[in-house]
Amino acid sequence: MALQELTYRDALRKALADAMTENPDVVIIGEEVGRYGGAYAVTKDLIKEFGGERVIDTPISEPAIVGAAVGAALAGLRPVAELMYVDFIGMTMDQLANQAAKIRYMFGGQIGVPMVLRTQGGTGRSAGAQHSQSLEAYVMHTPGLRLAMPATVADAYHLLRQALTKPDPVVFIEHKALYTLKETVDLDAPVPDWGKVAIRRQGRDLVIVTYSRQVHYAMEAAKKLAAQGIEATVIDLRTLNPLDFDTIRAEVEKTGRAMVVSEGVMTAGVAAELSARISEECFDFLEDPVIRVAGEDIPISVSTVLETGSVPGPQLIVDTALKLLTGRVAA
């Protein structure tokens, strides 16, 4: 395939369309996914191509959407359920965490729930406290759920395509600020396997472990650090479950320093789990404590200024890295 310019949104739509073309068991279920085309236009026009029997508009009931997807998966389909916002995932936790995540175990491996739950999270649109959260830790905390969070256009396509082949439930969280991200991609180019990290930049002084939109912030920060003589490795996790900790460990052992960056809140978040594992498993190689850079433990404000200040940005990553390595911050 020739190089093509796609947005993150386009890549997701193409992944869905390609999967639906290849597999007639793939169906989409959710609020306004059909005639309206989805809250962020990912499913736009798919109903015209595949019809209302495979692109199904539902009532405004997140528990019903996920519950129907669980039942459909048990009955032999491969549903893609869409929640408009990850903030609503709490209402679906019985269907998702108590049913979908546990059915394979409770039935002795005889049956699974091959569904994908697509949703979006994060800040960037001044959507307020109830529509701007990063709740991936809820999912990561639940055994039996797989979790993918793509940062790039290519991964938006490939991770969703891979998720739609898995025998167990995958929660697929897209960042709302990435839908318009545009990249030139070759979708036939080799990509990391499911569950493997991508090393976006290689350095000798520090490892930055992150995912989703924060990958772009970390890359921007790494360029600023390089101008000051500090070279950082940037690891894009791609999937948080499965977690490719072997690669993380190997990279941290090379540099002796690690920083974990997450848009989720600091307390009991993804950054807390990852920094704890790095501290435990890389202890003999660490020169300094593992540093967390994460969201503030506060509700997200509708104010653009307060919203931006409540989650990590490139400059905070730079300042934290400089303090870690040199004891100073940028002027």
Side-chain angles (χ1 to χ4, degrees):
M1 183 182 293
L3 291 173
Q4 56 184 312
E5 193 173 71
L6 292 175
T7 65
Y8 190 91
R9 176 190 291 118
D10 294 335
L12 293 165
R13 185 186 304 116
K14 179 172 175 55
L16 290 170
D18 288 353
M20 294 178 79
T21 299
E22 292 178 8
N23 185 352
D25 291 332
V26 177
V27 297
I28 298 173
I29 305 171
E31 180 189 346
E32 297 184 339
V33 296
R35 287 174 293 177
Y36 185 71
Y40 286 87
V42 170
T43 56
K44 184 180 179 182
D45 293 332
L46 291 183
I47 194 170
K48 296 178 183 178
E49 185 173 355
F50 297 102
E53 291 186 352
R54 295 185 67 194
V55 184
I56 304 165
D57 282 318
T58 68
I60 306 174
S61 174
E62 287 78 13
I65 293 167
V66 177
V70 173
L74 290 171
L77 296 178
R78 191 174 280 278
V80 181
E82 178 177 323
L83 297 186
M84 278 191 177
Y85 295 93
V86 75
D87 309 72
F88 306 150
I89 201 169
M91 291 186 286
T92 75
M93 289 305 275
D94 180 62
Q95 292 82 354
L96 187 64
N98 282 338
Q99 306 303 327
K102 295 178 173 60
I103 280 173
R104 179 173 294 282
Y105 173 79
M106 294 178 69
F107 285 84
Q110 298 177 81
I111 190 170
V113 182
M115 63 172 280
V116 173
L117 175 60
R118 277 190 54 246
T119 188
Q120 59 76 33
T123 62
R125 293 180 63 92
S126 296
Q130 296 173 324
H131 297 79
S132 302
Q133 297 174 86
S134 298
L135 300 180
E136 54 268 20
Y138 285 25
V139 180
M140 198 175 177
H141 184 72
T142 304
L145 297 179
R146 304 293 178 248
L147 175 59
M149 297 189 68
T152 67
V153 171
D155 272 348
Y157 177 82
H158 288 295
L159 285 176
L160 185 52
R161 289 281 274 149
Q162 291 169 344
L164 282 163
T165 67
K166 300 305 167 188
D168 295 299
V170 177
V171 179
F172 195 93
I173 303 179
E174 303 145 12
H175 197 290
K176 63 168 64 70
L178 294 180
Y179 285 117
T180 58
L181 174 69
K182 186 178 290 186
E183 295 175 352
T184 300
V185 295
D186 178 359
L187 296 182
D188 287 337
V191 294
D193 292 338
W194 173 261
K196 294 296 182 181
V197 305
I199 299 176
R200 303 295 182 188
R201 183 185 178 104
Q202 196 80 54
R204 64 177 182 272
D205 300 310
L206 167 71
V207 175
I208 302 174
V209 181
T210 189
Y211 57 95
S212 192
R213 181 175 65 162
Q214 292 295 328
V215 171
H216 300 279
Y217 288 171
M219 291 293 287
E220 185 178 339
K223 291 178 182 178
K224 293 181 178 180
L225 290 167
Q228 302 187 53
I230 295 172
E231 294 293 339
T233 293
V234 177
I235 295 179
D236 176 0
L237 294 175
R238 303 176 70 246
T239 62
L240 281 74
N241 186 0
L243 179 68
D244 180 11
F245 196 79
D246 287 343
T247 303
I248 296 171
R249 182 192 298 109
E251 292 300 317
V252 171
E253 288 178 359
K254 293 177 186 177
T255 67
R257 295 180 178 86
M259 174 193 301
V260 184
V261 182
S262 171
E263 193 164 315
V265 297
M266 178 74 79
T267 300
V270 172
E273 168 62 21
L274 293 179
S275 62
R277 284 199 64 182
I278 294 170
S279 296
E280 290 173 353
E281 299 192 31
C282 304
F283 183 81
D284 290 341
F285 297 88
L286 290 172
E287 301 290 339
D288 292 290
V290 181
I291 301 297
R292 289 178 292 162
V293 180
E296 299 286 347
D297 289 334
I298 57 173
I300 303 296
S301 174
V302 74
S303 159
T304 301
V305 174
L306 294 177
E307 178 188 45
T308 301
S310 66
V311 297
Q315 193 57 49
L316 179 60
I317 298 171
V318 169
D319 290 344
T320 306
L322 287 173
K323 188 174 181 180
L324 175 65
L325 273 82
T326 69
R328 61 181 177 85
V329 297

